[in-house]
Amino acid sequence: MPQQTPLYIVASQHPRVGKTLIARLLIEFLRISGRPLVGYDLDPREPTLAPFFPNMVWTIDIADTPGQMALFDRLIADHWRTTVIDLGYGLFEQFFTVMAEIGFEGEARRHSLEPIVLFVTDSAPTTARSYADLRRRLPETVFIPVQNEASSFMFIARDFPPTRPEYGMIRIPRLSPIVRGVIDRPGFSFATYMASQPGGPTEVHTWIQTIFTEFRDLELRLLVGQLQSSLGAIAREPTRPAQ
Amino acid sequence: MAKPALILVGADKGGVGKTTVARTLLDYFAAHHVATRAFDSESPKGTLKRFHPDAAEIVDATVVADQMRIIDTLSTTESTVTIVDVRAGLLSPTLRALRDIGFLDAVKKGQITFLVFHILGSSITSLNEIEETAPFTADARYFLVKNFINNTSFFEWDQATHASYFKRLKDAQILTIPKLNEMAYEQVELASVPFLSFVANKNPKGETANYSFVLRGYFRHWLGNVWAEYDRVKLLDSFEASGSSAAAGSRAQAGNRT
């Protein structure tokens, strides 16, 4: 089995649920391992992710066809590069509609690119419905629910089943409002902050550590899932005639 | 051998996407392994010929010699289906010519399968054309094709007028060609290859090309919808049902008995 390159799509249907923060954390986590990495901020009017990562995160407007080509054609061409997409509520529907219509899943599979939607949940009933609807429209895409405890204290697990039960979910713990200002400073880097611990670990250190651990565990679970499904395919093959 | 079939693709007005429809048919038949040849009557330089240089021959349907090239070879050609892309404005004259040379009689006798794709534009003048062609298409499978390919607005057809025309063609079937993304349309035109080659990202020499995946994706989606229309009207049955003369004969007998 060729190594699959992950294509993370951090998506939310509503504003102010911490989607960009999650995308920032994910990019910094992925950057530590030194692998080739690129990001896209799909909110051209108010790009909030791109300013944190000059020369790594690009802003693209996918409202029209040239923008869609700039994004999806490049994703296929750059299939060797781990990608993080910050997908805001404004173009949420458009993005997934185009993805389904142009048959992106099939093309991604041919290029060993694995789309993984990190779906930022909230307790609105429409959100659970749209989650189920997306999973139906994109059957080959991995869906992982994300609960951001800062914006949503309720998480109903049965409303947001992951693609495989063992994939689980991602939980982003709440950070005290007092230190929240620290991480929102322009140019703030989680990884740099982690590397410098002048007076011992602070709440921010623990918080970043927890989230990075969540991401690392998710990567392992995804890898095990990939191995299991490819082993399963091999194991099923010889038994079929006997059945 | 299957009974020969002739398909006319025409419109009485230019610029309604007639050649595009002819091209979707060529690809549809190719995908279903129906041997097809095509004549392009956009003399002297046909657009169909540009995209399907192997399949398309250019003819001038108003010239008797060229009519003979099409009609007289119907029963001897290797191809089951012959598609003629009729030049804009020549659908009615072509149908009249086919009647005059006895072709329509052969259709009536069940010797030849005859299909007409009449491509309609978005204005009311298109409907007047239906009236002109109606007398010649009694024994054909007649398709009225509403072509939305480069159209965002709906047909400006008044429902009552619409109904009065369509009543006259009881056996006509309506096909809808959906809208296609403009940039995908443009790129597929520029590519100068059959639609299926474009979807497969191949250049005219059969090498891997560099067409946008997004545009190919949009195009494949559109072509899938067009083919679904052909499936819906069971287009292929026109040729399979006529595959054995015995079947055609039993149908004729059944007709006599009633």
Side-chain angles (χ1 to χ4, degrees):
Chain A
M1 185 187 71
Q3 181 70 48
Q4 302 259 342
T5 311
L7 161 62
Y8 291 104
I9 302 153
V10 186
S12 85
Q13 257 195 318
H14 299 106
R16 312 209 53 79
V17 292
K19 168 189 53 64
T20 299
L21 176 63
I22 294 162
R24 273 175 66 199
L25 284 156
L26 182 60
I27 287 174
E28 292 221 29
F29 165 76
L30 295 167
R31 196 161 61 172
I32 295 167
S33 62
R35 67 185 108 175
L37 186 63
V38 66
Y40 297 101
D41 186 338
L42 301 192
D43 188 348
R45 268 161 225 88
E46 279 181 70
T48 42
L49 181 68
F52 282 101
F53 305 98
N55 301 319
M56 181 185 274
V57 173
W58 312 99
T59 304
I60 295 182
D61 184 353
I62 59 158
D64 57 13
T65 314
Q68 290 157 16
M69 288 161 68
L71 177 68
F72 288 102
D73 282 348
R74 203 179 312 171
L75 291 179
I76 294 296
D78 284 358
H79 58 87
W80 47 276
R81 209 144 52 153
T82 300
T83 304
V84 176
I85 293 176
D86 182 1
L87 173 60
Y89 64 100
L91 288 160
F92 181 92
E93 188 49 44
Q94 172 110 32
F95 178 88
F96 289 114
T97 301
V98 174
M99 187 173 165
E101 185 166 333
I102 65 176
F104 183 77
E105 285 183 311
E107 192 74 2
R109 183 177 1 95
R110 278 187 285 282
H111 290 88
S112 297
L113 194 61
E114 182 170 48
I116 301 157
V117 176
L118 300 184
F119 189 98
V120 186
T121 64
D122 56 62
S123 51
T126 52
T127 308
R129 272 204 297 279
S130 109
Y131 182 80
D133 176 55
L134 276 185
R135 284 197 51 190
R136 191 178 45 73
R137 283 157 67 192
L138 298 166
E140 289 183 43
T141 297
V142 172
F143 281 86
I144 307 287
V146 179
Q147 184 200 5
N148 182 8
E149 290 181 344
S151 64
S152 166
F153 22 57
M154 273 238 300
F155 177 76
I156 302 163
R158 77 181 129 80
D159 279 349
F160 300 101
T163 299
R164 295 166 70 101
E166 59 269 31
Y167 285 166
M169 62 169 302
I170 293 275
R171 184 169 278 118
I172 306 290
R174 172 194 279 276
L175 191 62
S176 306
I178 304 167
V179 289
R180 178 65 215 239
V182 176
I183 62 165
D184 284 340
R185 280 201 302 260
F188 179 86
S189 159
F190 301 104
T192 311
Y193 189 88
M194 285 301 275
S196 63
Q197 299 197 2
T202 66
E203 183 193 344
V204 178
H205 284 114
T206 322
W207 183 79
I208 297 170
Q209 190 57 58
T210 310
I211 295 164
F212 280 9
T213 307
E214 286 268 308
F215 287 148
R216 189 158 46 244
D217 286 353
L218 175 68
E219 281 198 312
L220 286 171
R221 295 197 299 267
L222 289 170
L223 190 64
V224 170
Q226 277 176 17
L227 284 171
Q228 272 177 348
S229 61
S230 58
L231 285 175
I234 295 163
R236 271 196 303 281
E237 220 41 59
T239 58
R240 196 170 294 150
Q243 280 169 351
Chain B
M1 183 175 159
K3 190 165 73 166
L6 177 69
I7 297 180
L8 293 188
V9 181
D12 278 9
K13 204 173 68 162
V16 291
K18 172 177 52 66
T19 301
T20 308
V21 174
R23 293 178 65 191
T24 63
L25 285 170
L26 275 173
D27 280 332
Y28 183 75
F29 294 138
H32 288 92
H33 309 291
V34 176
T36 308
R37 61 176 185 159
F39 289 97
D40 193 335
S41 70
E42 294 281 350
S43 184
K45 49 167 195 178
T47 27
L48 193 60
K49 176 82 181 165
R50 218 179 98 213
F51 302 112
H52 295 264
D54 304 332
E57 292 185 54
I58 297 175
V59 295
D60 186 342
T62 53
V63 176
V64 175
D66 278 345
Q67 288 169 4
M68 287 163 62
R69 270 177 77 194
I70 304 169
I71 306 302
D72 291 352
T73 55
L74 272 178
S75 51
T76 53
T77 175
E78 296 286 300
S79 305
T80 311
V81 178
T82 299
I83 297 180
V84 181
D85 182 358
V86 180
R87 180 142 56 106
L90 283 187
L91 184 57
S92 304
T94 302
L95 285 166
R96 199 170 298 122
L98 286 174
R99 181 197 58 190
D100 294 348
I101 62 172
F103 174 82
L104 295 183
D105 289 333
V107 173
K108 201 184 193 73
K109 287 182 193 139
Q111 292 160 350
I112 299 168
T113 305
F114 184 39
L115 290 83
V116 177
F117 284 75
H118 191 157
I119 318 298
L120 302 176
S122 59
S123 65
I124 196 77
T125 56
S126 292
L127 289 174
N128 294 323
E129 300 158 13
I130 296 170
E131 206 164 24
E132 281 178 49
T133 53
F136 307 111
T137 54
D139 298 300
R141 272 194 90 182
Y142 191 64
F143 297 100
L144 287 171
V145 183
K146 290 182 172 182
N147 191 16
F148 290 89
I149 186 160
N150 35 27
N151 236 357
T152 39
S153 61
F154 285 113
F155 278 27
E156 326 147 354
W157 288 353
D158 169 61
Q159 278 304 314
T161 325
H162 187 276
S164 75
Y165 275 105
F166 280 66
K167 225 169 31 208
R168 250 170 271 185
L169 296 154
K170 280 189 289 296
D171 300 323
Q173 284 175 289
I174 296 177
L175 288 170
T176 303
I177 304 290
K179 178 171 165 53
L180 173 63
N181 177 290
E182 297 94 5
M183 290 185 71
Y185 182 83
E186 194 186 348
Q187 193 168 29
V188 78
E189 292 282 298
L190 289 172
S192 289
V193 291
F195 287 163
L196 286 181
S197 305
F198 179 73
V199 169
N201 202 24
K202 293 280 189 280
N203 71 13
K205 289 178 193 151
E207 301 152 344
T208 300
N210 208 9
Y211 312 130
S212 158
F213 163 67
V214 170
L215 300 185
R216 285 189 293 124
Y218 272 129
F219 187 78
R220 184 178 46 204
H221 180 80
W222 174 83
L223 191 60
N225 285 339
V226 174
W227 285 9
E229 280 289 279
Y230 297 155
D231 289 343
R232 181 178 63 78
V233 299
K234 300 191 167 55
L235 185 56
L236 292 173
D237 288 2
S238 310
F239 317 120
E240 279 156 16
S242 58
S244 75
S245 54
S250 68
R251 226 190 0 259
Q253 281 169 8
N256 289 340
R257 247 179 268 136
T258 48

mmCIF file of all heavy atoms in Angstrom, chain A residues 65-66 68-69 72-73 76 98 101-104 107 110, chain B residues 181-183 187 211-218 220-221:
data_model
loop_
_atom_site.group_PDB
_atom_site.id
_atom_site.type_symbol
_atom_site.label_atom_id
_atom_site.label_comp_id
_atom_site.label_asym_id
_atom_site.label_seq_id
_atom_site.Cartn_x
_atom_site.Cartn_y
_atom_site.Cartn_z
ATOM 1 N N THR A 65 -15.157 29.568 -10.873
ATOM 2 C CA THR A 65 -14.422 28.430 -11.445
ATOM 3 C C THR A 65 -12.904 28.619 -11.411
ATOM 4 O O THR A 65 -12.194 27.683 -11.045
ATOM 5 C CB THR A 65 -14.899 28.150 -12.881
ATOM 6 O OG1 THR A 65 -16.322 28.162 -12.880
ATOM 7 C CG2 THR A 65 -14.435 26.800 -13.374
ATOM 8 N N PRO A 66 -12.358 29.805 -11.774
ATOM 9 C CA PRO A 66 -10.897 29.937 -11.701
ATOM 10 C C PRO A 66 -10.358 29.665 -10.296
ATOM 11 O O PRO A 66 -9.301 29.032 -10.136
ATOM 12 C CB PRO A 66 -10.651 31.392 -12.121
ATOM 13 C CG PRO A 66 -11.823 31.756 -12.951
ATOM 14 C CD PRO A 66 -12.986 31.002 -12.372
ATOM 15 N N GLN A 68 -11.764 27.705 -8.047
ATOM 16 C CA GLN A 68 -11.894 26.262 -7.803
ATOM 17 C C GLN A 68 -10.750 25.506 -8.467
ATOM 18 O O GLN A 68 -10.216 24.544 -7.908
ATOM 19 C CB GLN A 68 -13.242 25.764 -8.351
ATOM 20 C CG GLN A 68 -14.426 26.273 -7.549
ATOM 21 C CD GLN A 68 -15.718 26.282 -8.347
ATOM 22 O OE1 GLN A 68 -15.818 25.650 -9.398
ATOM 23 N NE2 GLN A 68 -16.713 26.997 -7.851
ATOM 24 N N MET A 69 -10.360 25.984 -9.673
ATOM 25 C CA MET A 69 -9.222 25.351 -10.351
ATOM 26 C C MET A 69 -7.936 25.597 -9.581
ATOM 27 O O MET A 69 -7.106 24.699 -9.432
ATOM 28 C CB MET A 69 -9.089 25.906 -11.781
ATOM 29 C CG MET A 69 -10.177 25.410 -12.708
ATOM 30 S SD MET A 69 -10.344 26.445 -14.189
ATOM 31 C CE MET A 69 -8.806 26.077 -15.016
ATOM 32 N N PHE A 72 -8.440 23.050 -6.329
ATOM 33 C CA PHE A 72 -8.541 21.594 -6.505
ATOM 34 C C PHE A 72 -7.479 21.055 -7.464
ATOM 35 O O PHE A 72 -6.946 19.962 -7.248
ATOM 36 C CB PHE A 72 -9.948 21.200 -6.960
ATOM 37 C CG PHE A 72 -10.985 21.333 -5.875
ATOM 38 C CD1 PHE A 72 -11.841 22.414 -5.841
ATOM 39 C CD2 PHE A 72 -11.086 20.370 -4.872
ATOM 40 C CE1 PHE A 72 -12.792 22.542 -4.831
ATOM 41 C CE2 PHE A 72 -12.034 20.482 -3.866
ATOM 42 C CZ PHE A 72 -12.889 21.581 -3.845
ATOM 43 N N ASP A 73 -7.177 21.798 -8.523
ATOM 44 C CA ASP A 73 -6.120 21.326 -9.428
ATOM 45 C C ASP A 73 -4.778 21.279 -8.704
ATOM 46 O O ASP A 73 -3.979 20.377 -8.913
ATOM 47 C CB ASP A 73 -6.014 22.231 -10.672
ATOM 48 C CG ASP A 73 -7.122 21.942 -11.682
ATOM 49 O OD1 ASP A 73 -7.804 20.912 -11.525
ATOM 50 O OD2 ASP A 73 -7.306 22.738 -12.607
ATOM 51 N N ILE A 76 -4.426 18.258 -6.343
ATOM 52 C CA ILE A 76 -4.063 17.015 -7.042
ATOM 53 C C ILE A 76 -2.587 17.057 -7.446
ATOM 54 O O ILE A 76 -1.855 16.083 -7.258
ATOM 55 C CB ILE A 76 -4.982 16.820 -8.275
ATOM 56 C CG1 ILE A 76 -6.435 16.593 -7.835
ATOM 57 C CG2 ILE A 76 -4.489 15.666 -9.142
ATOM 58 C CD1 ILE A 76 -6.667 15.328 -7.035
ATOM 59 N N VAL A 98 -18.804 21.324 -4.905
ATOM 60 C CA VAL A 98 -17.820 21.200 -5.988
ATOM 61 C C VAL A 98 -17.053 19.889 -5.833
ATOM 62 O O VAL A 98 -16.876 19.126 -6.790
ATOM 63 C CB VAL A 98 -16.833 22.387 -5.997
ATOM 64 C CG1 VAL A 98 -15.729 22.173 -7.015
ATOM 65 C CG2 VAL A 98 -17.562 23.685 -6.277
ATOM 66 N N GLU A 101 -19.230 17.106 -7.031
ATOM 67 C CA GLU A 101 -19.593 17.152 -8.451
ATOM 68 C C GLU A 101 -18.421 16.806 -9.365
ATOM 69 O O GLU A 101 -18.592 16.103 -10.353
ATOM 70 C CB GLU A 101 -20.164 18.539 -8.805
ATOM 71 C CG GLU A 101 -20.659 18.593 -10.243
ATOM 72 C CD GLU A 101 -21.535 19.802 -10.535
ATOM 73 O OE1 GLU A 101 -22.182 20.315 -9.613
ATOM 74 O OE2 GLU A 101 -21.552 20.222 -11.705
ATOM 75 N N ILE A 102 -17.238 17.289 -9.046
ATOM 76 C CA ILE A 102 -16.107 17.020 -9.940
ATOM 77 C C ILE A 102 -15.485 15.645 -9.672
ATOM 78 O O ILE A 102 -14.531 15.263 -10.342
ATOM 79 C CB ILE A 102 -15.013 18.120 -9.855
ATOM 80 C CG1 ILE A 102 -14.365 18.146 -8.470
ATOM 81 C CG2 ILE A 102 -15.598 19.480 -10.223
ATOM 82 C CD1 ILE A 102 -13.217 19.135 -8.358
ATOM 83 N N GLY A 103 -16.021 14.911 -8.737
ATOM 84 C CA GLY A 103 -15.488 13.577 -8.462
ATOM 85 C C GLY A 103 -14.109 13.624 -7.827
ATOM 86 O O GLY A 103 -13.226 12.839 -8.166
ATOM 87 N N PHE A 104 -13.938 14.541 -6.874
ATOM 88 C CA PHE A 104 -12.621 14.738 -6.274
ATOM 89 C C PHE A 104 -12.137 13.495 -5.514
ATOM 90 O O PHE A 104 -10.953 13.168 -5.532
ATOM 91 C CB PHE A 104 -12.641 15.952 -5.339
ATOM 92 C CG PHE A 104 -11.299 16.260 -4.739
ATOM 93 C CD1 PHE A 104 -10.320 16.887 -5.491
ATOM 94 C CD2 PHE A 104 -10.999 15.891 -3.438
ATOM 95 C CE1 PHE A 104 -9.068 17.150 -4.960
ATOM 96 C CE2 PHE A 104 -9.748 16.146 -2.893
ATOM 97 C CZ PHE A 104 -8.783 16.781 -3.656
ATOM 98 N N GLU A 107 -10.348 10.990 -7.770
ATOM 99 C CA GLU A 107 -9.058 11.496 -8.238
ATOM 100 C C GLU A 107 -8.048 11.502 -7.087
ATOM 101 O O GLU A 107 -6.868 11.193 -7.289
ATOM 102 C CB GLU A 107 -9.240 12.907 -8.826
ATOM 103 C CG GLU A 107 -8.054 13.432 -9.610
ATOM 104 C CD GLU A 107 -7.895 12.777 -10.982
ATOM 105 O OE1 GLU A 107 -8.728 11.933 -11.345
ATOM 106 O OE2 GLU A 107 -6.910 13.104 -11.673
ATOM 107 N N ARG A 110 -6.717 8.023 -6.548
ATOM 108 C CA ARG A 110 -5.724 7.650 -7.558
ATOM 109 C C ARG A 110 -4.363 8.263 -7.265
ATOM 110 O O ARG A 110 -3.349 7.770 -7.727
ATOM 111 C CB ARG A 110 -6.199 8.081 -8.949
ATOM 112 C CG ARG A 110 -7.167 7.094 -9.581
ATOM 113 C CD ARG A 110 -7.481 7.474 -11.018
ATOM 114 N NE ARG A 110 -8.383 8.605 -11.119
ATOM 115 C CZ ARG A 110 -9.697 8.519 -10.937
ATOM 116 N NH1 ARG A 110 -10.258 7.368 -10.639
ATOM 117 N NH2 ARG A 110 -10.464 9.581 -11.041
ATOM 118 N N ASN B 181 -20.693 24.187 -17.212
ATOM 119 C CA ASN B 181 -19.792 25.247 -16.756
ATOM 120 C C ASN B 181 -19.066 25.874 -17.958
ATOM 121 O O ASN B 181 -18.485 25.169 -18.781
ATOM 122 C CB ASN B 181 -18.784 24.628 -15.780
ATOM 123 C CG ASN B 181 -17.747 25.599 -15.293
ATOM 124 O OD1 ASN B 181 -16.876 26.012 -16.050
ATOM 125 N ND2 ASN B 181 -17.835 25.971 -14.047
ATOM 126 N N GLU B 182 -19.105 27.224 -18.083
ATOM 127 C CA GLU B 182 -18.589 27.898 -19.287
ATOM 128 C C GLU B 182 -17.119 27.578 -19.535
ATOM 129 O O GLU B 182 -16.699 27.369 -20.671
ATOM 130 C CB GLU B 182 -18.691 29.423 -19.192
ATOM 131 C CG GLU B 182 -20.078 29.999 -19.079
ATOM 132 C CD GLU B 182 -20.475 30.232 -17.635
ATOM 133 O OE1 GLU B 182 -19.608 30.030 -16.747
ATOM 134 O OE2 GLU B 182 -21.633 30.582 -17.387
ATOM 135 N N MET B 183 -16.334 27.570 -18.467
ATOM 136 C CA MET B 183 -14.901 27.343 -18.656
ATOM 137 C C MET B 183 -14.625 25.909 -19.087
ATOM 138 O O MET B 183 -13.714 25.649 -19.868
ATOM 139 C CB MET B 183 -14.135 27.675 -17.379
ATOM 140 C CG MET B 183 -14.129 29.165 -17.093
ATOM 141 S SD MET B 183 -13.116 29.574 -15.670
ATOM 142 C CE MET B 183 -11.470 29.284 -16.304
ATOM 143 N N GLN B 187 -12.789 24.904 -22.512
ATOM 144 C CA GLN B 187 -11.578 24.079 -22.571
ATOM 145 C C GLN B 187 -11.779 22.826 -23.419
ATOM 146 O O GLN B 187 -10.869 22.403 -24.139
ATOM 147 C CB GLN B 187 -11.072 23.691 -21.176
ATOM 148 C CG GLN B 187 -9.656 23.117 -21.290
ATOM 149 C CD GLN B 187 -8.926 22.966 -19.973
ATOM 150 O OE1 GLN B 187 -9.519 22.763 -18.925
ATOM 151 N NE2 GLN B 187 -7.611 23.057 -20.022
ATOM 152 N N TYR B 211 -5.123 19.035 -18.980
ATOM 153 C CA TYR B 211 -6.372 19.761 -18.788
ATOM 154 C C TYR B 211 -6.667 19.851 -17.295
ATOM 155 O O TYR B 211 -6.348 18.946 -16.534
ATOM 156 C CB TYR B 211 -7.527 19.044 -19.492
ATOM 157 C CG TYR B 211 -7.254 18.643 -20.920
ATOM 158 C CD1 TYR B 211 -7.509 17.343 -21.350
ATOM 159 C CD2 TYR B 211 -6.733 19.564 -21.832
ATOM 160 C CE1 TYR B 211 -7.257 16.958 -22.657
ATOM 161 C CE2 TYR B 211 -6.474 19.178 -23.140
ATOM 162 C CZ TYR B 211 -6.740 17.878 -23.550
ATOM 163 O OH TYR B 211 -6.489 17.501 -24.838
ATOM 164 N N SER B 212 -7.315 20.920 -16.914
ATOM 165 C CA SER B 212 -7.659 21.113 -15.499
ATOM 166 C C SER B 212 -8.545 19.978 -15.005
ATOM 167 O O SER B 212 -9.521 19.600 -15.650
ATOM 168 C CB SER B 212 -8.397 22.444 -15.336
ATOM 169 O OG SER B 212 -9.167 22.422 -14.154
ATOM 170 N N PHE B 213 -8.193 19.434 -13.836
ATOM 171 C CA PHE B 213 -9.009 18.370 -13.264
ATOM 172 C C PHE B 213 -10.400 18.886 -12.898
ATOM 173 O O PHE B 213 -11.406 18.187 -13.069
ATOM 174 C CB PHE B 213 -8.325 17.773 -12.030
ATOM 175 C CG PHE B 213 -9.262 16.980 -11.183
ATOM 176 C CD1 PHE B 213 -9.795 15.793 -11.665
ATOM 177 C CD2 PHE B 213 -9.669 17.442 -9.943
ATOM 178 C CE1 PHE B 213 -10.707 15.076 -10.914
ATOM 179 C CE2 PHE B 213 -10.579 16.734 -9.188
ATOM 180 C CZ PHE B 213 -11.091 15.544 -9.668
ATOM 181 N N VAL B 214 -10.460 20.120 -12.401
ATOM 182 C CA VAL B 214 -11.758 20.695 -12.028
ATOM 183 C C VAL B 214 -12.673 20.765 -13.253
ATOM 184 O O VAL B 214 -13.828 20.363 -13.211
ATOM 185 C CB VAL B 214 -11.579 22.091 -11.396
ATOM 186 C CG1 VAL B 214 -12.917 22.791 -11.221
ATOM 187 C CG2 VAL B 214 -10.869 21.978 -10.059
ATOM 188 N N LEU B 215 -12.124 21.261 -14.365
ATOM 189 C CA LEU B 215 -12.942 21.390 -15.572
ATOM 190 C C LEU B 215 -13.318 20.021 -16.127
ATOM 191 O O LEU B 215 -14.438 19.809 -16.584
ATOM 192 C CB LEU B 215 -12.208 22.230 -16.628
ATOM 193 C CG LEU B 215 -11.873 23.659 -16.194
ATOM 194 C CD1 LEU B 215 -11.257 24.439 -17.344
ATOM 195 C CD2 LEU B 215 -13.111 24.385 -15.662
ATOM 196 N N ARG B 216 -12.392 19.079 -16.063
ATOM 197 C CA ARG B 216 -12.731 17.726 -16.506
ATOM 198 C C ARG B 216 -13.817 17.139 -15.616
ATOM 199 O O ARG B 216 -14.709 16.444 -16.081
ATOM 200 C CB ARG B 216 -11.486 16.828 -16.475
ATOM 201 C CG ARG B 216 -10.530 17.112 -17.613
ATOM 202 C CD ARG B 216 -9.436 16.062 -17.687
ATOM 203 N NE ARG B 216 -8.536 16.086 -16.550
ATOM 204 C CZ ARG B 216 -8.293 15.042 -15.774
ATOM 205 N NH1 ARG B 216 -8.881 13.884 -15.998
ATOM 206 N NH2 ARG B 216 -7.453 15.148 -14.775
ATOM 207 N N GLY B 217 -13.705 17.440 -14.317
ATOM 208 C CA GLY B 217 -14.708 16.941 -13.369
ATOM 209 C C GLY B 217 -16.089 17.493 -13.666
ATOM 210 O O GLY B 217 -17.069 16.756 -13.715
ATOM 211 N N TYR B 218 -16.148 18.809 -13.883
ATOM 212 C CA TYR B 218 -17.431 19.429 -14.240
ATOM 213 C C TYR B 218 -17.970 18.813 -15.520
ATOM 214 O O TYR B 218 -19.147 18.542 -15.659
ATOM 215 C CB TYR B 218 -17.260 20.938 -14.455
ATOM 216 C CG TYR B 218 -17.406 21.762 -13.200
ATOM 217 C CD1 TYR B 218 -16.444 22.704 -12.842
ATOM 218 C CD2 TYR B 218 -18.513 21.610 -12.375
ATOM 219 C CE1 TYR B 218 -16.579 23.467 -11.690
ATOM 220 C CE2 TYR B 218 -18.648 22.372 -11.225
ATOM 221 C CZ TYR B 218 -17.675 23.293 -10.887
ATOM 222 O OH TYR B 218 -17.815 24.043 -9.753
ATOM 223 N N ARG B 220 -17.286 15.842 -16.903
ATOM 224 C CA ARG B 220 -17.705 14.443 -16.738
ATOM 225 C C ARG B 220 -19.083 14.371 -16.086
ATOM 226 O O ARG B 220 -19.932 13.574 -16.473
ATOM 227 C CB ARG B 220 -16.674 13.702 -15.878
ATOM 228 C CG ARG B 220 -16.965 12.218 -15.723
ATOM 229 C CD ARG B 220 -15.889 11.557 -14.909
ATOM 230 N NE ARG B 220 -15.585 12.354 -13.739
ATOM 231 C CZ ARG B 220 -14.440 12.318 -13.079
ATOM 232 N NH1 ARG B 220 -13.480 11.530 -13.490
ATOM 233 N NH2 ARG B 220 -14.237 13.061 -12.021
ATOM 234 N N HIS B 221 -19.283 15.249 -15.106
ATOM 235 C CA HIS B 221 -20.575 15.304 -14.420
ATOM 236 C C HIS B 221 -21.690 15.657 -15.419
ATOM 237 O O HIS B 221 -22.745 15.025 -15.450
ATOM 238 C CB HIS B 221 -20.495 16.358 -13.322
ATOM 239 C CG HIS B 221 -21.756 16.516 -12.541
ATOM 240 N ND1 HIS B 221 -22.107 15.652 -11.536
ATOM 241 C CD2 HIS B 221 -22.744 17.427 -12.620
ATOM 242 C CE1 HIS B 221 -23.277 16.030 -11.034
ATOM 243 N NE2 HIS B 221 -23.680 17.104 -11.670
#
